[in-house]
Amino acid sequence: MRKIIFLVTVFFFITGLLSTSEIWAQKEKGKPKLLRLTFYYPVGVAGPLARVIGEMTDKFNKEHEGRIEVVPVYSGDYDPTMQKVQTAIMAGNPPDIFMVEISELPTLLAMDSVLSLDDYVKKLGKEYWDDFFPPFRENAVIGGKVYGIPFQRSTPVLYWNKEVFKAAGLDPEKPPKTWNELKDYATKLTVRDAKSGDVKQWGVTISGGWNDWLFEAFVRQNGSFLISADGLTANFDSKESIEALDFWVELKHRLKVGPPHSTWGSTPPDFVGGRTALLYHSTGILTFLKRSAKFDFGVTFMPQKKTFGAAVGGANLMIAKKIPKERQEAAWKYIEWMSNVKNTAEWSAASGYVAVRQSAYDDPVMKEHVSKNPEYLVARDQLKFAHGKMMAKNFQKVREILKRQLDDSAAGKIVPAEALKIAQKEIQAVIK
Amino acid sequence: MRTQRLTSYSYLLLGLFFMGVFTFIPVFLSAYLSLFRWNVSSPEPAFTWFSNYLEVFKAPLFWLVLRNNFIYAFTTIPVSMCLALFLAILVNQKMGTIKSFYRVSLFYPTMIPMVAAAMLWVWIFNPGLGIFNYYLGFLGVPRIEWLYDMRYALIAIIIMSIWKNFGYYMLIFLAGLQSIPNHYYEAAAIEGAGGWKKFRYITLPMLAPATLFVFVVAIISSFQVFDQVFIMTQGGPGDRTNVLVFYIYQHAFRFWDLGMGSTLTTLFILGLLFAIWLVFRVIGRKVYYEV
Amino acid sequence: MKFNRNFRHRTGLHLALMLVSLITVAPYLWILSTSLKFRTEVFTPTPKWIPWPINIQNYLEMFEMAPFHLYLINTIIVVTGILAVQLVTITLAAYVFARRNFWGKEFFFFLFLIQMMIPIHATFLPNFLTLKNFNLLNTRIAMMLPFFASGYGTFLLRQAFRQIPRSLEDAAVIDGCGGLRFLWHVLIPLAKPTLIAFSIISIVSHWNDYLWPLIVTDTPEVRTLTIGLGMFVQQESGADWTLLMAATAFVTAPMMIFFLVFQKKFVESFMLSGMKG
């Protein structure tokens, strides 16, 4: 027995060593002319999409056989991807192409690690760059220079469960359009256990985890912003922001028609399981909801106060700065190819993300997709009212500071004006 | 004697080599970098003596994180150790094949990858859809919002971690129990000692080494808790589940603040070393382990 | 009378064990049950333990997503590779720490202890750099190297060695069986339960490593099971629960079977050495 285990162990160990050297050998053997590029990507929608990226890349590689080979590297969710990119950059071994959450751009720039794509974009002319939806472009540009190409992009929307609308005596085809209606509907839709008072069904869930992103949308709906476009001035304690946070506190704490906190990943199941009648979440979960929900539901704009409004989200394609020129050129070829009309349409149809280019919606693949599933158009239409997401240096710190205050306010631990004053002070100090 | 000393060193060499390259170089690097300001605002490292350390102690969040971690440690350690010891004793009794079932079902949580286990527990703790609240409801416990509630989120993480870790400790106790010679018990039985007496005067003292070991391991692992927090709550709501390693992670990999990340790492290691030293000082000697 | 007491004792024992086992095992049953459900059957307000209609498709779909067979082989190679080297390094080190006296012993032991305390995340960046310099990125060996020495195992084994009476060694030396031969012929067999316990712990924890393998590897040819599993866990869109659970069941299955089959063996060896010690 012992001998067998020993032999097996030795066997595996040796094969392990051999196969590593095999990979070295392969690396050395590559013909000198072939450029092998690595591409780190997070795929924000479940599993199958990793394969979609693979298939698209294969097509590209075939077209450029013998010259360029892009190796797509699945690198986990947004956070692990950022970590992988960062580790690689710090170690002087950056991936040639990468896709990270949009608000990381100023930080990446401060570390001098992204290439300006200005010249490439200019070469393609106006028809290329202007075809991207304007709010998506915002997060790709800093100081007038383009650093990223929109690809995997989303916005938050409002989902509503038509069946529980009926049960509460509301018109299932009429979702709330304004904050007041939202409050009113949410109150009517909240169902409590008669005896214990436990909530059986929340009226509205404003998802936690990325609640900073949702909060920005509320501030936009109230006609204000959180950080100036140049990323230098914080504006967290404006009258409009305080009003927006106070509205949250009203829903979550005073009226108790929504959970005060939640996690980003568990609210879509809440919606599918009938635990919440209305849900604020990313467009990214639409496919998940369609596949999992047994009931009829709708997607609509987030309700307005002064105006409809949203902050866009998602990830852009970028090229590392500290790689040889020829690799940059090859990387750009790939990005240009991935962001052509046909591919953006294909990606959107497969993933449920918004197609980043306006003309993609005239593509036959896309036309067929949206004619079958018109709810995928809601996020696109909402883009008319959407803005770029706030961006600033040290954005992750900004997020943590803001989230802390949002969570404390929702628990009734601090009043909105006070909370946002703290946020303003701390955030201004980190972004300057 | 001289040759013996030389061979002693040579036996250590292999382990020390790997440790040196993959543990101590990073540790010394952290200690060194902790004296620099190196973050997004100053991308070129700037030597600033101990200002990072001052900054750590000045941040109120650091103290909250420390508090959370101590709560976590002081609940998970005693609960999972007692549970592990108790169950190890039960499983150690003579019984039929059902023993295998018990052993497997108590130990398996240790074998599940944290990535999946944490996701699963997010769902189990879901206030309306999760099985946890559903069955607690039968026991008449009023509904708790767990991860959706600042007051309970850390408790949820604690419960999950106990489930995940106590099997480890049980296994070590089990190994310890089985190395207690049976004739001790036989002798005690002849002298008419009852179950409690046997436990108190034979089992417990004989298990002292195993207990010390479990205790040390539990302290270390309870301060290294990370994955659960990373996947289940990201430190939220309102930093109420933020713990030390997650805090380090935030600085090093979210904020790109390598100076602060290194400072926190250095403090973390020093703190843990002190704790372990204390354990050996106070308890270790009694358990005939001189360090 | 005696029978009665014994009977009550037995019932109590089994009741207690049964209760705790059921609680701990429920999450796993839940994984299995969910892995066989249709997506629309997953989130129900009252738990549905029996998946009906059964959907085996999830397992097939999961295999289509990523080369799980490759991941499985890689995981086995990585885990056994780590363990094999660890066993050598920890036995040698534990032996000298337990049995020898030399200058700097306490200092070195202290170093080994520290290693247990280092949060792995603190070592990511420097270790990545080291591996890059040795041109070892994206290899299986990269996932193993940082774990070849184990302070934990050394500590565990040192304690076991110390429990073996000194007189045994003196006797062995007189018989001409000192040094390594004593280690191999006497100490290791006597410390077998500890070695086994450590092996289980090492296998389990490295079977489940996630972030480090994700960071140092790029291609499916060298990647491990947990990375495949991670593909079903997604922040923005929520997880694909049925597939995630199917993948979890698959990823844990080898460990579960391994433990189920060998647990008797483990325990037996525990017993044997227990009697000797």
Side-chain angles (χ1 to χ4, degrees):
Chain A
M1 188 65 207
R2 210 185 319 157
K3 266 193 186 141
I4 294 175
I5 292 181
F6 178 73
L7 284 177
V8 169
T9 310
V10 169
F11 170 76
F12 273 124
F13 191 62
I14 291 172
T15 42
L17 287 176
L18 284 180
S19 41
T20 39
S21 47
E22 214 170 277
I23 285 166
W24 287 340
Q26 273 177 8
K27 266 188 186 160
E28 299 311 316
K29 259 190 284 171
K31 283 177 216 138
K33 271 186 96 187
L34 177 73
L35 287 171
R36 190 174 279 142
L37 307 178
T38 42
F39 166 35
Y40 287 2
Y41 68 93
V43 159
V45 171
L49 293 181
R51 216 179 38 193
V52 176
I53 295 254
E55 279 163 13
M56 288 169 82
T57 308
D58 281 348
K59 234 185 266 169
F60 173 85
N61 289 342
K62 267 224 184 85
E63 282 175 28
H64 296 81
E65 210 170 339
R67 282 167 297 146
I68 306 171
E69 186 188 340
V70 175
V71 184
V73 175
Y74 163 77
S75 37
D77 214 335
Y78 282 139
D79 284 328
T81 300
M82 191 59 200
Q83 191 181 351
K84 200 168 150 71
V85 169
Q86 182 189 354
T87 312
I89 288 175
M90 290 279 189
N93 190 35
D96 304 285
I97 309 159
F98 53 90
M99 194 155 72
V100 293
E101 212 271 329
I102 45 176
S103 302
E104 303 283 1
L105 179 56
T107 306
L108 285 165
L109 264 183
M111 303 313 271
D112 196 28
S113 43
V114 270
L115 181 73
S116 162
L117 305 177
D118 244 20
D119 296 340
Y120 298 122
V121 169
K122 275 200 191 108
K123 224 178 267 165
L124 287 178
K126 257 179 138 6
E127 333 50 285
Y128 175 72
W129 186 240
D130 287 359
D131 193 28
F132 290 96
F133 285 102
F136 288 155
R137 281 184 311 211
E138 279 181 48
N139 287 100
V141 179
I142 281 187
K145 278 190 169 165
V146 179
Y147 290 96
I149 300 300
F151 186 69
Q152 173 177 311
R153 303 298 299 266
S154 56
T155 79
V157 284
L158 181 69
Y159 298 94
W160 87 96
N161 179 332
K162 291 185 181 173
E163 264 164 47
V164 299
F165 264 58
K166 268 184 241 162
L170 295 167
D171 183 347
E173 296 309 322
K174 279 203 181 129
K177 288 267 168 254
T178 64
W179 284 13
N180 277 334
E181 271 178 38
L182 175 71
K183 187 167 77 182
D184 184 37
Y185 281 36
T187 314
K188 284 183 187 148
L189 288 162
T190 302
V191 180
R192 282 173 224 276
D193 190 85
K195 255 195 288 167
S196 62
D198 286 342
V199 178
K200 292 182 114 168
Q201 178 188 301
W202 290 110
V204 56
T205 298
I206 302 167
S207 303
W210 289 81
N211 45 353
D212 52 318
W213 187 37
L214 297 178
F215 181 67
E216 195 183 357
F218 277 74
V219 172
R220 286 292 186 186
Q221 289 150 21
N222 207 13
S224 188
F225 61 93
L226 291 175
I227 294 181
S228 62
D230 59 5
L232 296 176
T233 322
N235 184 36
F236 285 77
D237 55 353
S238 68
K239 193 173 104 318
E240 290 84 1
S241 308
I242 295 172
E243 227 171 72
L245 183 52
D246 193 61
F247 182 58
W248 276 29
V249 174
E250 182 163 25
L251 295 174
K252 290 165 170 238
H253 185 65
R254 290 200 292 272
L255 296 172
K256 295 202 171 20
V257 294
H261 311 107
S262 50
T263 59
W264 194 250
S266 65
T267 52
D270 277 343
F271 185 74
V272 172
R275 262 276 289 175
T276 183
L278 293 155
L279 174 69
Y280 279 83
H281 213 287
S282 163
T283 44
I285 64 163
L286 182 51
T287 309
F288 167 80
L289 294 184
K290 278 178 77 87
R291 289 203 296 193
S292 314
K294 271 196 204 163
F295 50 82
D296 200 8
F297 69 91
V299 192
T300 184
F301 292 2
M302 290 181 283
Q304 62 168 336
K305 173 78 173 172
K306 289 181 184 149
T307 161
F308 288 112
V312 293
N316 290 338
L317 290 163
M318 296 186 213
I319 298 178
K321 190 171 180 185
K322 287 169 187 152
I323 54 171
K325 184 91 180 130
E326 49 167 6
R327 296 182 79 87
Q328 292 173 350
E329 305 261 327
W332 171 253
K333 269 195 191 128
Y334 178 69
I335 290 186
E336 186 192 334
W337 185 84
M338 284 292 266
S339 62
N340 72 27
V341 177
K342 198 173 143 293
N343 282 325
T344 47
E346 210 170 285
W347 170 248
S348 168
S351 66
Y353 277 105
V354 185
V356 287
R357 296 181 66 162
Q358 301 176 31
S359 51
Y361 286 88
D362 302 325
D363 184 86
V365 178
M366 199 63 189
K367 269 194 170 148
E368 196 199 324
H369 171 63
V370 294
S371 70
K372 271 194 220 143
N373 311 285
E375 58 285 14
Y376 282 98
L377 286 173
V378 172
R380 181 200 67 173
D381 296 340
Q382 194 184 236
L383 285 175
K384 277 187 229 102
F385 306 98
H387 302 263
K389 193 170 176 239
M390 59 175 157
M391 282 198 299
K393 218 156 64 177
N394 274 322
F395 178 71
Q396 292 292 344
K397 265 189 194 162
V398 173
R399 256 192 92 190
E400 289 305 320
I401 295 167
L402 177 60
K403 274 168 66 177
R404 172 69 186 279
Q405 298 307 330
L406 295 177
D407 285 344
D408 277 355
S409 306
K413 291 209 181 304
I414 187 169
V415 292
E418 202 63 38
L420 290 173
K421 205 188 275 167
I422 298 174
Q424 168 71 17
K425 205 178 119 224
E426 292 185 0
I427 290 170
Q428 187 61 62
V430 257
I431 64 174
K432 65 163 192 287
Chain B
M1 233 33 215
R2 224 188 103 95
T3 48
Q4 224 201 20
R5 211 178 307 145
L6 279 181
T7 51
S8 296
Y9 291 128
S10 66
Y11 292 170
L12 278 184
L13 209 62
L14 194 59
L16 277 176
F17 170 74
F18 288 117
M19 229 174 240
V21 174
F22 292 100
T23 307
F24 294 115
I25 289 179
V27 170
F28 288 127
L29 202 67
S30 305
Y32 176 64
L33 284 179
S34 73
L35 305 175
F36 287 84
R37 217 177 114 74
W38 187 13
N39 55 30
V40 178
S41 313
S42 76
E44 288 304 317
F47 190 73
T48 56
W49 289 104
F50 292 94
S51 70
N52 283 335
Y53 289 85
L54 278 179
E55 217 174 297
V56 168
F57 294 126
K58 269 195 295 186
L61 183 53
F62 171 72
W63 298 102
L64 177 67
V65 167
L66 204 61
R67 184 179 149 262
N68 290 339
N69 215 140
F70 270 100
I71 295 176
Y72 177 87
F74 283 126
T75 45
T76 48
I77 295 173
V79 174
S80 42
M81 276 181 75
C82 291
L83 201 64
L85 177 59
F86 177 65
L87 290 166
I89 290 172
L90 292 192
V91 171
N92 198 36
Q93 309 281 316
K94 280 203 185 74
M95 62 181 94
T97 36
I98 191 148
K99 196 175 198 156
S100 315
F101 166 74
Y102 292 144
R103 258 198 307 248
V104 171
S105 54
L106 295 173
F107 182 70
Y108 89 90
T110 309
M111 300 193 290
I112 297 198
M114 202 41 125
V115 200
M119 283 299 285
L120 177 72
W121 277 81
V122 166
W123 182 18
I124 288 177
F125 277 127
N126 185 305
L129 303 169
I131 46 179
F132 205 70
N133 263 354
Y134 184 78
Y135 290 105
L136 278 188
F138 281 117
L139 301 175
V141 179
R143 172 122 105 222
I144 296 169
E145 297 281 311
W146 298 115
L147 298 173
Y148 287 18
D149 188 327
M150 275 186 175
R151 290 166 302 171
Y152 291 100
L154 187 58
I155 302 177
I157 299 231
I158 288 169
I159 293 174
M160 187 270 177
S161 311
I162 291 172
W163 168 83
K164 185 87 174 63
N165 290 334
F166 83 90
Y168 242 65
Y169 309 150
M170 191 189 76
L171 200 77
I172 298 170
F173 279 131
L174 208 56
L177 280 175
Q178 306 210 315
S179 63
I180 301 176
N182 226 350
H183 60 245
Y184 283 28
Y185 290 109
E186 282 157 16
I190 290 167
E191 287 181 19
W196 168 251
K197 276 225 165 106
K198 280 191 214 159
F199 174 74
R200 175 70 188 77
Y201 293 104
I202 301 174
T203 316
L204 221 48
M206 291 297 286
L207 274 186
T211 313
L212 177 71
F213 181 74
V214 170
F215 188 47
V216 170
V217 170
I219 293 178
I220 293 172
S221 79
S222 69
F223 282 96
Q224 289 199 344
V225 51
F226 172 79
D227 294 351
Q228 299 93 308
V229 172
F230 182 65
I231 294 164
M232 289 169 77
T233 61
Q234 293 277 319
D239 286 311
R240 295 314 191 278
T241 60
N242 201 339
V243 288
L244 285 168
V245 177
F246 187 74
Y247 193 60
I248 294 176
Y249 174 87
Q250 277 186 321
H251 279 88
F253 290 108
R254 291 263 164 88
F255 308 159
W256 295 57
D257 194 335
L258 288 147
M260 281 296 262
S262 304
T263 308
L264 287 164
T265 307
T266 312
L267 282 171
F268 177 88
I269 295 168
L270 290 176
L272 213 48
L273 270 178
F274 176 72
I276 303 298
W277 174 79
L278 210 65
V279 169
F280 275 105
R281 217 53 248 164
V282 177
I283 315 168
R285 302 249 154 157
K286 287 185 196 149
V287 200
Y288 56 87
Y289 285 88
E290 341 77 272
V291 170
Chain C
M1 194 57 197
K2 180 139 196 251
F3 167 79
N4 203 354
R5 216 179 117 203
N6 198 20
F7 179 75
R8 277 216 321 263
H9 178 78
R10 297 262 101 180
T11 329
L13 174 78
H14 282 287
L15 265 180
L17 277 173
M18 205 40 121
L19 188 74
V20 184
S21 304
L22 276 184
I23 292 172
T24 52
V25 98
Y28 199 71
L29 297 180
W30 196 234
I31 292 173
L32 291 183
S33 154
T34 307
S35 74
L36 292 169
K37 284 178 184 173
F38 282 91
R39 285 195 179 85
T40 49
E41 301 296 321
V42 174
F43 299 105
T44 49
T46 36
K48 239 179 81 177
W49 287 92
I50 313 284
W52 195 260
I54 281 187
N55 179 19
I56 303 177
Q57 204 62 36
N58 291 330
Y59 284 88
L60 303 177
E61 238 180 274
M62 169 206 115
F63 270 102
E64 273 172 33
M65 292 312 159
F68 273 92
H69 58 282
L70 266 181
Y71 292 166
L72 179 65
I73 294 170
N74 291 333
T75 310
I76 293 174
I77 292 174
V78 169
V79 166
T80 44
I82 291 174
L83 183 64
V85 179
Q86 271 181 343
L87 287 178
V88 176
T89 59
I90 68 166
T91 335
L92 287 175
Y95 170 65
V96 277
F97 284 134
R99 293 282 154 173
R100 297 285 181 87
N101 276 317
F102 54 93
W103 183 85
K105 177 174 156 180
E106 278 171 32
F107 170 74
F108 286 121
F109 187 59
F110 180 69
L111 284 185
F112 274 69
L113 275 186
I114 297 187
Q115 198 240 11
M116 288 205 279
M117 301 170 201
I118 313 298
I120 176 110
H121 305 278
T123 64
F124 276 0
L125 189 56
N127 285 350
F128 187 90
L129 241 154
T130 309
L131 292 174
K132 186 202 144 210
N133 289 338
F134 287 109
N135 207 359
L136 286 175
L137 289 175
N138 197 30
T139 60
R140 291 185 197 96
I141 201 98
M143 291 182 270
M144 306 183 212
L145 271 169
F147 307 106
F148 276 170
S150 165
Y152 183 94
T154 310
F155 181 69
L156 191 67
L157 203 59
R158 168 186 173 264
Q159 307 301 67
F161 285 166
R162 288 173 74 102
Q163 282 184 337
I164 295 158
R166 190 114 222 168
S167 53
L168 218 57
E169 182 162 13
D170 298 337
V173 170
I174 292 167
D175 288 346
C177 174
L180 277 187
R181 286 184 54 195
F182 172 68
L183 176 66
W184 181 252
H185 291 291
V186 183
L187 287 183
I188 289 179
L190 283 178
K192 212 158 104 191
T194 314
L195 284 170
I196 291 173
F198 172 73
S199 304
I200 299 174
I201 287 165
S202 165
I203 290 174
V204 164
S205 62
H206 296 299
W207 191 273
N208 297 335
D209 277 337
Y210 178 63
L211 274 175
W212 176 247
L214 185 72
I215 286 176
V216 291
T217 63
D218 287 346
T219 49
E221 285 76 30
V222 295
R223 286 188 147 181
T224 52
L225 282 170
T226 36
I227 297 177
L229 194 62
M231 297 181 116
F232 304 109
V233 182
Q234 293 294 345
Q235 225 178 19
E236 188 165 8
S237 60
D240 197 324
W241 287 94
T242 49
L243 294 190
L244 174 65
M245 293 298 131
T248 309
F250 174 75
V251 169
T252 47
M255 298 298 288
M256 292 293 222
I257 293 166
F258 180 70
F259 190 67
L260 263 172
V261 172
F262 284 103
Q263 61 147 338
K264 251 201 159 141
K265 201 104 201 139
F266 295 153
V267 175
E268 261 169 32
S269 74
F270 284 16
M271 295 276 238
L272 276 173
S273 61
M275 295 306 278
K276 278 183 203 156

